Amino acid sequence: MTAALYNNEISPSTVSEHGLSDDEYALIVERLGRIPNLTELGIFSVMWSEHCSYKSSRRWLKHLPTDGPQVICGPGENAGIVDIGDGQAIVFKMESHNHPSFIEPYQGAATGVGGIMRDVFTMGARPIANMNALRFGEPEHEKTRHLLSGVVAGIGGYGNCMGVPTVGGEVNFHPRYNGNILVNAMTVGLVETDKIFYSAAKGAGNPVVYVGSKTGRDGIHGATMASAEFDDDSDEKRPTVQVGDPFTEKLLLEACLELMQEDAIIAIQDMGAAGLTSSSVEMASKGGVGFRLDLDRVPCREEAMTPYEMMLSESQERMLMVLQPGKEELAEKIFRKWELDFAVVGETIPGSNLTLVHRGSEVADLPIDFLTDDAPNYNRPWTSNEPVKDDIAFDSAKCPDPGKCLIQLVGSPDLASRRWIWEQYDYSVMADTVSGPGGDAAVVRIHGTSKAIAITTDVTPRYCEADPFEGGKQAVAEAWRNLTAVGATPLAITDCLNFGNPERPEIMGQFVEAIKGMAEACAALNFPVVSGNVSLYNETNGQAILPTPAVGGVGLLKNYTKRASIGFKTEGDVVLLLGSTTGHLGASLFAREVLGREDGPPPPVDLAAERRTGDLVREMIEEGLLSSVHDVSDGGVLVAITEMALAGEIGADLSSPDGDPYRYLFGEDQGRYVCAVSPQNLDRMVSMAQSASVQTAQLGHVTGTAIALDGAVLAPIGDLRNQHESWLPDYMGTAE
């Protein structure tokens, strides 16, 4: 690049340190017609970061279905909104806080939870539940125990202090996460449909108001850090991790909800990634106005903060609002009552520029469209590997007996009980958690009604690694299935798309194929995407994570007393399998844990069969024919039955399957449910299944204190429970 593009303040190394390419910097100079100053360069660096601009992904995100009669607000706002009737709506979103949580696990996870809650209550909703989806490295890795401990403590510490129940989630371990863990946080909130708030700052001459905590130097360049891969010096990025204060956030929540009862707010936006920069730019862009901010008025907790630092700080528990003129005194009174900072820091102006003033001088003047809609939009090269078609072959004669395999599986890191984790979360606060952690989906009552919301998070990264298209389909289908298993009608999803470096064609190919698979499943299941987050560059020294497009699903129960749960309940019930079985073992946990291999294709997802079977299951639950239901996923039918037995503290005697017992018992064929059915309802259910073209198989009966096969004990419930419950506490109790 020519020297004319630089000055003493801006050098090639300065541009590189800000995460901008030479071509991007040249584009900035060309569009501005001048060299940007350092503050302006910092603003471009965060707004054009992958984290904020979606410059590698947004052309592909358009392939996802986002509409439906239940959708009030789809992607593009702070969170998505779906209608649940009676003048009520659910607001929800899932976001990543991966890079910060690897560097500083407690604060990284805590501020991830705080940030996603702000996204929800910014729209006028009171948070009613939190979920999370966590991925860690192999248990033997030197950092895994420390990271797991810190992340769980951070999630529990923030959510518990806020008084919002953390009702479930998922945890996986794999060596591919050794250098980049994933911390995806999800919040669900409740709002009245006539009290929804958006972020578009319409109209010129309106006051721009800063509320919440003071601005410090924590989190500067957090968005840029989250848009780059790690290396051996990642710990040096610790200062870019934000510091959270849940007690202040609780005050901010109550103050915002109180002000929202007044006719005072035109627009409101959380100061999340990129802080004051992103909140002001996004509000102005959506409203078609300009912003003029006087940075001397920004409440700061540190002395001599520069415009650069104030605009890029990601200090937590802050909001930006545009108020109706004349409502400043009312708003200030409310926020002062809650002991929070309040300051009028600027106004909306005609035009479309962001103008910053500091100490009486103009320190930045940038066209807002150039920061948002006209930001780079790359069509990254991508390649697609031809997926393996044939299932794996193995010699069953060399396998341990099924009972030993079962004990090994239920005590393995990916299937062992997560009780040690969720007992650190307050999952019953607010007294509306009907079904908490441990089932297919959490169920949270809508306070004062018979309605409830079912919530789940799902993805199987090993499937996505084997075949990103089928893995993307399966992630959506499993979320749909888990909501169905409790009797809820699936409404919509949020997603958190975690991948490696998109500048590598094979990684970009994983992203593209996963999006295509998700889109196909969303369309077939009437399960639109209403919000989400993309997290790229999750790799260290060229080693990427497993492709992990996490899906958070929400469903509606019109009467929560008619829900189903996972545990067996009644001696003598028939154990019935709904859905067809071929015994697929490629990319399965049986293959990994018992056979010691991770090859083969993932199980295919037949979306038409998925829809038929799931619709039938919900109909049966609604009619009161089923009270115990569990979807079949990791570990196959025998693991699903064991989990039902452990939850209900009663065993089952099963009949030997035809053919290879390992394939039948441990295969991970999709679209299946295990049900416990009273004998008097069996004929009715089988008839309903035949009418719906859903295959059924009677597997045995609920009985005894063991999992048995043809009367021969495979494993006593007590032994299975000890193995299932002990792995995680034993692991976390080991000295670091």
Side-chain angles (χ1 to χ4, degrees):
M1 299 178 70
T2 65
L5 294 181
Y6 301 104
N7 59 23
N8 292 334
E9 192 175 40
I10 306 298
S11 68
S13 62
T14 302
V15 170
S16 177
E17 288 166 2
H18 281 75
L20 294 165
S21 70
D22 289 345
D23 288 343
E24 287 171 342
Y25 179 68
L27 181 62
I28 290 169
V29 174
E30 177 187 350
R31 178 65 186 272
L32 292 180
R34 58 180 173 82
I35 296 173
N37 62 40
L38 187 61
T39 298
E40 292 172 327
L41 185 73
I43 290 171
F44 274 108
S45 78
V46 292
M47 292 307 301
W48 283 16
S49 69
E50 195 71 57
H51 189 81
C52 292
S53 73
Y54 294 84
K55 59 189 175 186
S56 298
S57 61
R58 68 181 189 262
R59 66 176 56 239
W60 293 105
L61 297 177
K62 294 177 182 179
H63 291 252
L64 294 169
T66 59
D67 296 322
Q70 70 274 39
V71 176
I72 294 175
C73 177
E77 268 292 342
N78 287 292
I81 309 177
V82 291
D83 197 330
I84 61 169
D86 306 310
Q88 296 175 314
I90 289 296
V91 181
F92 67 106
K93 189 180 183 183
M94 179 161 59
E95 278 206 346
S96 62
H97 228 223
N98 304 334
H99 287 57
S101 298
F102 183 81
I103 294 172
E104 177 29 69
Y106 183 94
Q107 290 295 347
T111 53
V113 172
I116 196 63
M117 280 198 277
R118 286 196 302 279
D119 280 341
V120 167
F121 73 73
T122 295
M123 302 197 73
R126 179 174 291 278
I128 60 172
N130 289 331
M131 295 277 280
N132 53 74
L134 313 176
R135 267 86 198 178
F136 296 97
E138 59 189 329
E140 297 78 16
H141 191 268
E142 60 183 0
K143 288 188 175 182
T144 299
R145 191 180 298 109
H146 162 70
L147 292 168
L148 174 58
S149 176
V151 165
V152 169
I155 291 170
Y158 209 102
N160 295 353
C161 289
M162 283 290 292
V164 177
T166 300
V167 295
E170 55 179 348
V171 182
N172 294 143
F173 299 88
H174 195 277
R176 291 276 289 280
Y177 301 108
N178 283 348
N180 290 82
I181 65 173
L182 302 184
V183 176
N184 297 169
M186 176 178 174
T187 293
V188 177
L190 178 68
V191 69
E192 296 176 19
T193 54
D194 61 350
K195 291 290 176 64
I196 296 171
F197 289 83
Y198 297 99
S199 58
K202 298 178 181 178
N206 298 319
V208 177
V209 172
Y210 172 121
V211 299
S213 292
K214 288 180 168 61
T215 294
R217 292 188 171 95
D218 54 318
I220 292 176
H221 274 300
T224 308
M225 177 192 69
S227 306
E229 61 184 88
F230 280 161
D231 54 29
D232 293 332
D233 299 322
S234 295
D235 282 347
E236 296 177 2
K237 298 177 180 178
R238 190 177 301 272
T240 63
V241 177
Q242 309 93 329
V243 178
D245 180 355
F247 299 103
T248 298
E249 176 128 332
K250 174 63 173 174
L251 300 178
L252 183 61
L253 163 66
E254 299 301 338
C256 286
L257 293 181
E258 182 175 339
L259 182 60
M260 285 168 174
Q261 299 305 308
E262 310 288 343
D263 183 21
I265 299 174
I266 294 174
I268 179 170
Q269 176 79 33
D270 162 43
M271 288 193 221
L276 187 55
T277 290
S278 65
S279 57
S280 57
V281 168
E282 290 171 11
M283 292 174 80
S285 175
K286 291 173 185 175
V289 296
F291 263 42
R292 182 179 178 87
L293 301 180
D294 185 347
L295 299 183
D296 295 321
R297 300 179 184 179
V298 172
C300 294
R301 67 169 181 263
E302 299 183 49
E303 293 183 0
M305 288 193 68
T306 66
Y308 180 99
E309 292 170 329
M310 282 185 271
M311 291 303 294
L312 270 59
S313 167
E314 293 185 10
S315 295
Q316 296 292 284
E317 293 85 42
R318 301 180 300 159
M319 294 280 193
L320 200 64
M321 298 180 180
V322 175
L323 298 183
Q324 298 281 2
K327 297 292 185 177
E328 298 94 326
E329 184 177 347
L330 168 66
E332 181 172 10
K333 182 178 180 181
I334 290 173
F335 281 92
R336 298 296 185 198
K337 182 186 76 172
W338 289 99
E339 300 180 346
L340 295 167
D341 276 285
F342 176 97
V344 178
V345 295
E347 64 176 347
T348 59
I349 58 175
S352 57
N353 274 29
L354 173 68
T355 303
L356 307 179
V357 176
H358 184 240
R359 296 179 180 173
S361 298
E362 193 173 279
V363 294
D365 186 29
L366 297 172
I368 288 168
D369 287 349
F370 194 32
L371 297 169
T372 55
D373 295 341
D374 295 335
N377 184 1
Y378 294 128
N379 188 10
R380 302 278 192 195
W382 61 278
T383 59
S384 179
N385 294 324
E386 186 67 26
V388 177
K389 298 297 184 184
D390 297 328
D391 199 5
I392 62 172
F394 69 102
D395 186 354
S396 60
K398 296 181 179 179
C399 292
D401 68 68
K404 290 180 180 177
C405 293
L406 177 62
I407 289 176
Q408 182 179 350
L409 282 169
V410 299
S412 65
D414 275 5
L415 284 177
S417 170
R418 300 328 192 202
R419 185 183 303 275
W420 180 89
I421 293 175
W422 52 257
E423 283 189 343
Q424 298 185 53
Y425 305 151
D426 189 339
Y427 53 87
S428 59
V429 66
M430 299 176 73
D432 284 318
T433 304
V434 176
S435 298
D440 287 314
V443 179
V444 178
R445 179 182 59 178
I446 302 300
H447 195 76
T449 76
S450 61
K451 295 187 299 186
I453 296 300
I455 315 165
T456 185
T457 58
D458 296 287
V459 67
T460 308
R462 64 182 186 277
Y463 292 171
C464 299
E465 172 77 1
D467 184 339
F469 179 80
E470 286 294 330
K473 279 171 61 178
Q474 191 274 342
V476 173
E478 187 172 356
W480 192 86
R481 197 182 313 138
N482 280 332
L483 299 173
T484 291
V486 299
T489 300
L491 294 176
I493 69 170
T494 182
D495 59 42
C496 204
L497 307 177
N498 309 272
F499 291 82
N501 184 343
E503 297 169 48
R504 294 168 56 195
E506 66 273 23
I507 299 297
M508 196 65 210
Q510 291 176 344
F511 182 86
V512 170
E513 295 290 352
I515 287 282
K516 290 180 176 180
M518 293 175 64
E520 185 173 305
C522 288
L525 300 174
N526 188 27
F527 206 26
V529 180
V530 297
S531 61
N533 168 233
V534 176
S535 176
L536 302 177
Y537 295 95
N538 290 291
E539 60 180 76
T540 297
N541 294 326
Q543 177 67 63
I545 61 165
L546 296 176
T548 311
V551 170
V554 168
L556 174 65
L557 285 145
K558 292 183 179 179
N559 185 344
Y560 69 86
T561 64
K562 291 186 176 183
R563 73 192 184 280
S565 58
I566 186 175
F568 288 145
K569 297 178 177 64
T570 306
E571 182 99 16
D573 277 356
V574 177
V575 180
L576 187 70
L577 179 65
L578 298 174
S580 61
T581 299
T582 63
H584 187 101
L585 285 175
S588 68
L589 281 186
F590 175 85
R592 191 177 83 192
E593 299 296 329
V594 177
L595 304 179
R597 52 195 290 190
E598 296 188 58
D599 58 328
V605 180
D606 183 336
L607 293 169
E610 188 82 59
R611 184 73 181 260
R612 288 195 307 272
T613 308
D615 290 348
L616 175 65
V617 168
R618 285 196 304 279
E619 182 182 356
M620 290 175 171
I621 294 172
E622 178 69 21
E623 289 192 19
L625 299 174
L626 294 177
S627 60
S628 300
V629 181
H630 188 20
D631 86 305
V632 180
S633 56
D634 287 349
V637 166
L638 193 57
V639 166
I641 291 171
T642 300
E643 290 170 340
M644 298 175 80
L646 291 172
E649 299 185 349
I650 185 170
D653 188 6
L654 310 175
S655 301
S656 293
D658 296 332
D660 186 333
Y662 295 95
R663 288 193 178 277
Y664 195 93
L665 296 174
F666 301 111
E668 296 182 4
D669 305 282
Q670 296 296 291
R672 298 182 298 163
Y673 303 78
V674 175
C675 312
V677 187
S678 65
Q680 58 266 35
N681 289 333
L682 180 61
D683 288 345
R684 164 79 173 137
M685 285 190 57
V686 171
S687 175
M688 291 174 67
Q690 290 175 342
S691 297
S693 299
V694 172
Q695 186 174 321
T696 63
Q698 295 185 41
L699 303 181
H701 293 81
V702 176
T703 186
T705 59
I707 301 298
L709 199 62
D710 297 325
V713 172
L714 292 178
I717 294 296
D719 291 354
L720 290 165
R721 184 177 302 285
N722 289 339
Q723 191 77 3
H724 185 59
E725 295 280 354
S726 64
W727 181 82
L728 192 49
D730 288 351
Y731 173 70
M732 295 308 298
T734 303
E736 294 192 31

